[in-house]
Amino acid sequence: MIHSLFLINNAGDLFLEKHWKSVISRSVCDYFFEAREKAVEPDNVPPVIRTPHHYLINIYREKIFFVSVIQTEVPPLFVIEFLHRVAETFQDYFGECSETTIKDNMVIVYELLEEMLDNGFPLATESNILKELIRPPTILRTMVNTITGSSNVGETLPTGQLSTIPWRRAGVKYTNNEAYFDVVEEIDAILDKSGTTVFAEIQGVIDACVKLSGMPDLTLSFMNPRLLDDVSFHPCVRYKRWESERVISFIPPDGNFQLMSYHISAQNLVAIPVYVKQNINFFETGSSGRLDITVGPKQTMGKTVECLVVTVHMPKVVLSANLNATQGTYNYDPVTKILVWDIGKLNPQKLPNLKGSLSLQSGAPKPEENPSLNIDLKIQQLAISGLKVNRLDMYGEKYKPFKGVKYVTKAGKFQVRT
């Protein structure tokens, strides 16, 4: 199964390694560095890299590459899912999964990796079981450990490990009982020059933060569950009930967890929230070019588009850009050849526009193709697929919990071709 794990930052520094079987030399990562150099973006690094004696399976999370080393053939998705679980455990324990926090909590990181994998095979990956085995760090606990020389490792074995509900520990008590659900959708889309949708799909997740006493049994229903045809659930969900009634019935884990993820690929169900009018020209003579980009709202259901950013990877011959933005700020990096226009909040009454001239390298041939535009955005209180939570019911406990649902739409890989 998994022999070793290496954590590598964006600069290519290997700052953590863990071996479960034999020690594998760091030189195996040279194959990964070669693939990283060939990929323009970190997200484009192939998830599986074959070497003469190993397979390197990697994910990219929070500006960190999690690179695992495999010696025999295994299902790659199995390893990828485990690596995501490692990143989520770090996030849960330390508040964020960054290079700094991992370095600051190196001892706990190694203790967690030792518990999560046994001789290369996944063992304890549920958050509540891990928290009983290795207590999360607090300032007070860190001070006590420093003075007394004790560690964060628990005294007793976790109660949930042998139960039929391993994701929830017994005897949970809260003064405030609350259950929050975040419906987060990402649009992946490709639009052609005329604005016609070439490809569009939605990747959605429902993240939950459930802090309820006892052993509650929850049922979550939707207004339009037929939208969800390609779904993946947390192990706590009773799949038979979903198949027959299209409701999500589950005994929730304690704290933060991902209840489900879904994928909507029917293009007629994917609403494109913005339109882009663009015109990028490079002239045959004069070593110059023109750029004109306008962005406007399209299908936003009356909600405001926020955090709008347009990124353009310019051809190598573009030396500088002299532009004028009616809204937001722009920045052109002559080294990386990346133009970033940070618009912010989109005003439907006065559409933001960026236009001006581009200076090209003299004597160089005109670029063969125009650059594409990458769009980043966020829309609060809107699930672009139209998915809506109908109600949340609780059984098995007497108290009345506080319930809340939030919707967010983001841009995933959203590209406009020119």
Side-chain angles (χ1 to χ4, degrees), residues 80-213:
I80 287 168
E81 180 60 33
F82 174 77
L83 294 176
H84 279 295
R85 190 64 66 92
V86 170
E88 281 153 16
T89 301
F90 291 166
Q91 177 105 28
D92 193 23
Y93 262 71
F94 313 128
E96 62 174 356
C97 178
S98 67
E99 184 184 350
T100 313
T101 48
I102 289 170
K103 284 180 175 176
D104 289 345
N105 298 281
M106 201 65 93
V107 173
I108 295 172
V109 166
Y110 275 106
E111 287 171 348
L112 284 168
L113 291 174
E114 200 62 56
E115 294 296 340
M116 292 181 81
L117 220 62
D118 182 36
N119 197 36
F121 291 89
L123 179 66
T125 57
E126 283 297 337
S127 177
N128 70 302
I129 289 174
L130 286 168
K131 282 178 180 174
E132 285 187 72
L133 285 165
I134 297 148
R135 292 184 285 269
T138 61
I139 295 169
L140 182 63
R141 193 170 285 150
T142 307
M143 287 171 62
V144 170
N145 290 353
T146 308
I147 295 163
T148 61
S150 55
S151 74
N152 282 34
V153 179
E155 303 283 323
T156 56
L157 284 171
T159 53
Q161 186 108 44
L162 302 173
S163 85
T164 52
I165 310 167
W167 54 84
R168 188 174 181 87
R169 60 193 169 90
V172 182
K173 281 192 173 65
Y174 287 103
T175 48
N176 294 326
N177 291 288
E178 50 199 23
Y180 299 110
F181 295 90
D182 289 356
V183 180
V184 183
E185 293 190 341
E186 280 194 357
I187 312 172
D188 295 337
I190 297 173
L191 309 181
D192 67 10
K193 191 171 183 177
S194 62
T196 309
T197 305
V198 177
F199 162 85
E201 64 178 17
I202 292 170
Q203 310 283 352
V205 296
I206 298 181
D207 290 320
C209 176
V210 177
K211 295 182 178 177
L212 299 174
S213 306

Side-chain angles (χ1 to χ4, degrees), residues 62 64 76 120 219 334 386 404:
E62 311 293 333
I64 298 172
T219 303

